[in-house]
Amino acid sequence: MSTRFSKGQKWAFGAGSFAQWFINTAFNIWVFTYYFTVVGLSINWYVLAAVIWTLWNAFNDPFIGYLSDRTHTRWGRRKPYIMIGTIPMLILEIILWLPPTGSQFAIFVYLLIMLICYDTFYTMIALPFDSLFPELYTTVQERSEVNTIKQLLAVVGLLAAALVPGFIVDSNTTSYLLNGIVTSIIVGFSLIIALKWGVKERKEFKLDYQQSFKFFEGVKYSLKNKGFILYTLIFFLYEYVILLLATLVQIFGRQILHASPFQTSIIMGIMYIMGAVSVVLWRWLDVKIGSRKGLALSVVAYFLASLPLMFVDVYEIAVVIAIFMGIGFGGMIYFIYLIIADVIDEDELKSGVRHEGTFFGVTNFFMRLSMILSIVTIGLVFVQSDWEVYDPLVDVTFGLRLLFIVIPGIALGVLLICLYFYPFPKSKVEGIKAKLIELHKEKEKRVNSN
């Protein structure tokens, strides 16, 4: 089982992770900064667009997950969605930076259309990739190996999202457009590699589509699973923290550290590099103590490292802090997509069918709600700071520190409470994997007999 897929296939599959993290992180970091500080869209209009967009995506994600579970084509049930979504997403990454000039309402409508279209096609790519990971790699060893590759390339994607725009972006529309073009080209090549050599589908699961749920049945079924509910809460809080940081990092660097966009990108780059380096440590801990304890350690490490930012306003010191934050950050991105596989594996033992699309779709529904919470949180703090419209002369130091350190710290504390009750210790996971080997042999025999 450990040699089912070649090294080349695993790295090509990881290229999809690079593409996802690069384009979506660049999107999250720069869209708010661009529309708020360059285009001049009011924070109230931006919050409204983000809330409507997120409500759409809350439906869009579970629906695409549902469709992918029930799809049956000669390319498989996940790959067609990646193929369909790629080109439109790359085009939208470019035209996103071409808003109309004039009224606030016209800019708001354009932004809303771009957000809805972009995330619809992004979901068609990201959700099938997420679903394929636990579906393709089912042993502890292979899943750990591929997850390490995925997270290393994800961190490279994060690094690219921080540094590539840092070289290009200035305080004008043209530079953002150029950045969108460069991003689309890089992501396009990565997805071609992933589609050509990395995206495979195992024949054991070829008939699983026949037993997939109807849409609302799947939602109801997933919400009866205690482990899944706890994971969804954990993922919700993780995404909430990540979205707060990604949305605010450039403004935090400008207002608190008095840093240029490129200097702030350097801080992010250092954190991401440390995240990539630390993946080796977290993989070792994963094997030794299991994913649940490993994630808890990474959350604590990240939060403790971030605390000095409550008081620091010196750029050089912030660079040092980023080194230590990167260690915990690397652990969080290593484990967060790994532990849901335990829920899916246990469910397959009980039901005989893999429901990745349904589980990931429902999880993403609640993750989208974290987007609403993050942008509403930012909006409330900005309004209380009299910063409805961007004005660099307004002192929002305390508000930014609150959003960047205190509120994420509270969210991570609640995450740890959920993780304490998460019912998948290392011993239980090992037992599930052993039983799955036999189940998959039986399913392969059924497929071969048809």
Side-chain angles (χ1 to χ4, degrees), residues 346-363:
E346 183 189 50
D347 176 69
E348 186 188 10
L349 285 180
K350 293 178 179 178
S351 68
V353 179
R354 296 191 72 84
H355 298 116
E356 279 94 347
T358 295
F359 281 119
F360 275 106
V362 175
T363 294

Side-chain angles (χ1 to χ4, degrees), residues 1-2 4 138-141 202 204 348-349 430-444:
M1 294 290 289
S2 60
R4 176 183 290 273
T138 52
T139 67
V140 173
Q141 296 79 8
R202 286 171 56 167
E204 299 98 302
E348 186 188 10
L349 285 180
E430 290 173 342
I432 290 171
K433 297 293 187 293
K435 294 176 183 178
L436 276 181
I437 292 173
E438 297 304 315
L439 175 61
H440 291 166
K441 288 179 180 178
E442 294 175 10
K443 294 175 77 168
E444 187 170 4

Side-chain angles (χ1 to χ4, degrees), residues 126-354:
L127 195 144
F129 263 116
D130 291 341
S131 299
L132 279 170
F133 168 61
E135 189 170 293
L136 289 178
Y137 314 105
T138 52
T139 67
V140 173
Q141 296 79 8
E142 195 166 47
R143 193 171 280 170
S144 176
E145 177 190 359
V146 177
N147 191 54
T148 300
I149 292 170
K150 281 177 81 269
Q151 301 318 321
L152 282 171
L153 291 176
V155 171
V156 175
L158 286 167
L159 189 62
L163 294 182
V164 171
F167 282 112
I168 300 171
V169 167
D170 200 347
S171 58
N172 62 77
T173 300
T174 303
S175 66
Y176 281 89
L177 176 60
L178 178 60
N179 174 60
I181 294 170
V182 172
T183 298
S184 289
I185 291 171
I186 296 172
V187 170
F189 277 115
S190 303
L191 288 174
I192 289 171
I193 292 170
L195 281 167
K196 177 71 175 177
W197 294 287
V199 177
K200 309 291 182 182
E201 302 214 27
R202 286 171 56 167
K203 66 178 182 179
E204 299 98 302
F205 312 128
K206 187 176 181 181
L207 302 178
D208 280 11
Y209 78 97
Q210 297 175 342
Q211 303 175 58
S212 294
F213 298 112
K214 294 180 180 178
F215 180 72
F216 289 107
E217 287 177 351
V219 173
K220 184 177 178 181
Y221 176 84
S222 65
L223 293 178
K224 290 181 178 179
N225 187 313
K226 175 187 174 182
F228 176 71
I229 291 173
L230 285 167
Y231 174 79
T232 299
L233 288 171
I234 291 166
F235 191 65
F236 173 92
L237 293 162
Y238 162 83
E239 281 289 331
Y240 174 66
V241 171
I242 295 300
L243 286 165
L244 278 178
L245 301 180
T247 304
L248 293 167
V249 64
Q250 282 292 333
I251 294 176
F252 186 90
R254 183 182 305 179
Q255 297 294 125
I256 304 294
L257 304 176
H258 310 292
S260 69
F262 180 69
Q263 287 177 316
T264 303
S265 295
I266 290 294
I267 292 179
M268 296 163 61
I270 289 170
M271 189 175 82
Y272 296 155
I273 289 170
M274 286 305 303
V277 172
S278 72
V279 164
V280 177
L281 166 67
W282 297 115
R283 183 184 179 189
W284 177 77
L285 285 172
D286 182 24
V287 174
K288 291 292 183 181
I289 65 175
S291 300
R292 185 176 71 166
K293 290 182 178 178
L295 178 56
L297 283 175
S298 69
V299 167
V300 172
Y302 174 84
F303 174 67
L304 292 177
S306 72
L307 281 175
L309 288 176
M310 276 299 296
F311 316 101
V312 166
D313 58 5
V314 178
Y315 176 78
E316 290 76 13
I317 298 176
V319 169
V320 176
I321 292 171
I323 294 173
F324 294 98
M325 289 175 65
I327 297 172
F329 179 76
M332 288 195 294
I333 66 170
Y334 176 88
F335 289 111
I336 196 67
Y337 290 99
L338 185 61
I339 62 173
I340 190 177
D342 301 327
V343 174
I344 295 168
D345 289 345
E346 183 189 50
D347 176 69
E348 186 188 10
L349 285 180
K350 293 178 179 178
S351 68
V353 179
R354 296 191 72 84

